Amino acid sequence: MSGMQEAQKPAAWRSRLHRIIFESDSPSGKGFDVALIVAIFVSIVVVMLESVKSLSDSHATLLRLAEWGFTALFTIEYVLRLLCVSKPLRYARSFFGIVDLLAILPTYISLLVPGTQALLVIRTLRILRIFRVLKLVKHVRAAENLMQALRGSRRKIEVFLYAVFSLVVIFGSMMYLIEGPENGFTSIPKGIYWAVVTMTTVGYGDLSPQSPLGQTVASVIMILGYGIIAVPTGIVSAEMALLKPVSKPGAVSGQACPACGGGAHALDAAFCRLCGSKM
Amino acid sequence: MSGMQEAQKPAAWRSRLHRIIFESDSPSGKGFDVALIVAIFVSIVVVMLESVKSLSDSHATLLRLAEWGFTALFTIEYVLRLLCVSKPLRYARSFFGIVDLLAILPTYISLLVPGTQALLVIRTLRILRIFRVLKLVKHVRAAENLMQALRGSRRKIEVFLYAVFSLVVIFGSMMYLIEGPENGFTSIPKGIYWAVVTMTTVGYGDLSPQSPLGQTVASVIMILGYGIIAVPTGIVSAEMALLKPVSKPGAVSGQACPACGGGAHALDAAFCRLCGSKM
Amino acid sequence: MSGMQEAQKPAAWRSRLHRIIFESDSPSGKGFDVALIVAIFVSIVVVMLESVKSLSDSHATLLRLAEWGFTALFTIEYVLRLLCVSKPLRYARSFFGIVDLLAILPTYISLLVPGTQALLVIRTLRILRIFRVLKLVKHVRAAENLMQALRGSRRKIEVFLYAVFSLVVIFGSMMYLIEGPENGFTSIPKGIYWAVVTMTTVGYGDLSPQSPLGQTVASVIMILGYGIIAVPTGIVSAEMALLKPVSKPGAVSGQACPACGGGAHALDAAFCRLCGSKM
Amino acid sequence: MSGMQEAQKPAAWRSRLHRIIFESDSPSGKGFDVALIVAIFVSIVVVMLESVKSLSDSHATLLRLAEWGFTALFTIEYVLRLLCVSKPLRYARSFFGIVDLLAILPTYISLLVPGTQALLVIRTLRILRIFRVLKLVKHVRAAENLMQALRGSRRKIEVFLYAVFSLVVIFGSMMYLIEGPENGFTSIPKGIYWAVVTMTTVGYGDLSPQSPLGQTVASVIMILGYGIIAVPTGIVSAEMALLKPVSKPGAVSGQACPACGGGAHALDAAFCRLCGSKM
């Protein structure tokens, strides 16, 4: 922290703004995070309610007002974020930069181009902005642990997915042969859809085998699907058990890079691991 | 035990009552526990049967009689509990104190205030009283092990829940766009409800995708939901594998604090860990 | 084996019969096992087909003949088993003794007492007799490993089941309140049935929440149920990981006790661990 | 690699063809693999679309053309594979040899023998050919790890399956007795089908218990099924945790045997582990 104070390269207001918007270890930074998380949730609830016909009819003005309020708010926030990082383009092209933009763009487009109401649904992507606020050291560490376990078992999960995919195609085709169009299995893709619904144990019941042979084969598929779920679980469990609890030096700070806004830096990091700027 | 006998501060009848009602290592204490567990179960069965229209019509008097009998019984028990602890207020505000009160309150309120029949359903919370009787050393230790594993993996589970929540919102909105109101996806909240039903592999079938594109996207969501279940399982498994079998000195006695009634004390505990009273 | 040859206490034919019927390490013993397993499977298929109305009408005589054939066969086998053990009563009261008797009794009773057709369904318990033949050393060891892991985690599973039971009762009552009889939740037991169907992710769809509030609460219950499945899995996984691979001296022989017919003895066992007879 | 160049026993074109078709460590080999994987996927999509009535009517010629194109392509590939291995019969009888043949045979048969349209569904087995291309070292190692874990836990899984099978038969018969034909449980096999649908938590809802007793028993079965899933998961997890990460010397090369076409050889292999030919 003190190192940043000394290397006061960016204008004072910019570095202060950066601490408030991007970081979470000052009281004002925490306050901003809480306000942001509330705004995100309420704005998503507004988007949801807008899609309920009866509500959007009776409270049209209120909902529209709220929507424009949030869009204005998020636009200001987006501009401020652009202003306070020293490499705005890098931020704009980062994952969160794009999510931040997608949170405001649809509302503007729907105003300019009529008939693009469907685009408004994209605003639910705002939910992803919540992860931006998850800057708490413990959460970041937990997320990293999870990602590490998933990355470690990636190849095994890929092989598993290939196997499931093949089984689903083969069983789906088989059931199309056995049950046929008269029982709702009108095509191979429909059979495959049924196989996915069955093997994942979802079981809607919109399609279900009617013939004795079909029900017998379906029973085998179900037990297989039920047993197969053990495989990815076993993979992830084993990988997780291998993980060493992240040691202290590897811990993560609540700071973000002043240049590109990237977070989750090691406590002793002197340079941003993403853009190389001095921190 | 002998230490308590010597420090005979509370009146003799109070300390004896305390041993019977709150503790389980004397024969009369065990007898009380068994009687209580039977009473709880039967009273819950009565509440259930009362809600079955045909039965509540044909056996109205019997069910009402039984209900009042149990309420009287639990009221007496509640008063006795208040009497035999030395800090009654502390007991009354503890988790089990509130559950004990909720077990009797609805019946009285429904008598005084008409039209509060709905409150009667609260009486099913009596089920929680069973945990009061689970004072067996081995059960308490197992429960502690479970809680410890869940606590240890709390952050990871939180991150996982955030991720599931985001996926459900995004997929729910997507299906609202793809399927639309004509296939039952009348609003985004409805789409999200469908996404929860699908990702958790519950699959009621009250809503299911009808269009080929919708069924394709749904297949992806199902396989994702099926695979994602591996993550919390992996987390808890790994955490459980780390647990050391609780060593003897950490074992738990069947005694309860004479002051506040709190249980699950270490075998060598001389003072209550909850209120600090001498045991 | 040679020790048994020397201690030729039981009549020669009895000990030879015992080796054939109860044990699996001689060629004739293995042949008997294979024949038995085939007979069990075919007899169960016969019981099943008999319950299919169209088949039991068209092939009545054939099915009845087959049934009486198997009953005769299993009766002879039961008598032989009684004859060749030295403590017949002990065998008759053992788990497998009772299963062996239940395999033949219903057919005789249905002949003597008319109107007891329902009893015939009990004959499907014959399926349990398959475990009698699972005398292969490796299978027995695997089964013991499984049982050991389940036994080791018994307390934790009990606590888990209490918790699930409480959740199901509370959520079931809650949904009865929220949805009410007009949406099919006609009573608290019905609500609890729904809660079980939902928390276990079975999701028939015969009952499903209709009101927005009900669907919201249901979503929470589903995610909870989905997450909670991690707990028993974690318990069993952790317990299994602790298991030492059963060492050679603990291995199990294919022999059975000549006195009571109990199996799964250690390779170096000189006396039956169940009845103490010399082997 | 250089060893193979020296021992230039097979004709130069054959060894070059072999490297392209069977191996993946040269640029042309990689290109062939990518082309093959695309061809497989597109051909399966064609088979699927052909089964959709509306599409097969409107685009009959296009789909037929595409199908014959792929059949020609795969036939050429099959012949080339036969040509470039030195033991063609061995290749033809290997798993992938049969799959390669099944990918082309149905189309020819449907031409020769009319009325064998059903055979065309067999072409979806082409999906299995994808595994042929999964020659990447990391994938092969992951697949081997998975297989090893499953093989290691085979006996336990067998015992588990016997137990599930018995439970399903017993519960299915029980529900046939309790619910009876008037609620859709028309026979024991139907009851068993319901028990499988329920225990695996698939829950179509085409059959569901209607009587209070049936719903109570069903609840028990569901909770059992829900808990039982922990067992195979625990088995596989524990087995996976035991696996040593495959050490470097055990790694697998992208080469295939020039004689039989078998893959997944150790990096230091001088002879094929399947047919003993020099590599």
Side-chain angles (χ1 to χ4, degrees), chain A residues 11 52-53 57 62 65 67 166 181 202 205 215 221 231-232 248 269:
Chain A
V52 181
K53 191 110 191 32
D57 285 352
L62 184 71
L65 225 72
E67 179 50 38
S166 303
V202 170
Q215 295 185 337
I221 298 175
V231 177
K248 284 283 127 59

Side-chain angles (χ1 to χ4, degrees), chain C residues 187-218:
Chain C
S187 64
I188 294 182
K190 202 112 192 182
I192 292 173
Y193 167 69
W194 172 87
V196 172
V197 169
T198 300
M199 279 202 77
T200 58
T201 78
V202 170
Y204 286 132
D206 49 354
L207 270 179
S208 64
Q210 305 297 328
S211 67
L213 179 58
Q215 294 185 341
T216 310
V217 172

Side-chain angles (χ1 to χ4, degrees), chain C residues 7-49:
Chain C
Q8 200 98 16
K9 292 278 161 49
W13 66 268
R14 258 173 88 183
S15 97
R16 204 161 55 210
L17 201 61
H18 187 270
R19 281 190 67 185
I20 295 173
I21 300 187
F22 278 98
E23 301 179 20
S24 63
D25 36 18
S26 66
S28 49
K30 267 180 198 147
F32 179 82
D33 279 1
V34 171
L36 187 59
I37 221 166
V38 170
I40 292 169
F41 266 113
V42 178
S43 88
I44 287 172
V45 168
V46 168
V47 172
M48 284 184 189
L49 295 181

Side-chain angles (χ1 to χ4, degrees), chain B residues 184-205:
Chain B
F185 292 77
T186 50
S187 64
I188 294 182
K190 202 113 193 182
I192 292 173
Y193 167 70
W194 172 86
V196 172
V197 169
T198 300
M199 279 201 78
T200 57
T201 78
V202 171
Y204 287 131

Side-chain angles (χ1 to χ4, degrees), chain C residues 231-253:
Chain C
V231 177
T233 309
I235 295 169
V236 178
S237 296
E239 204 67 40
M240 289 226 153
L242 283 181
L243 286 183
K244 294 260 165 36
V246 181
S247 51
K248 284 283 128 59
V252 173
S253 83

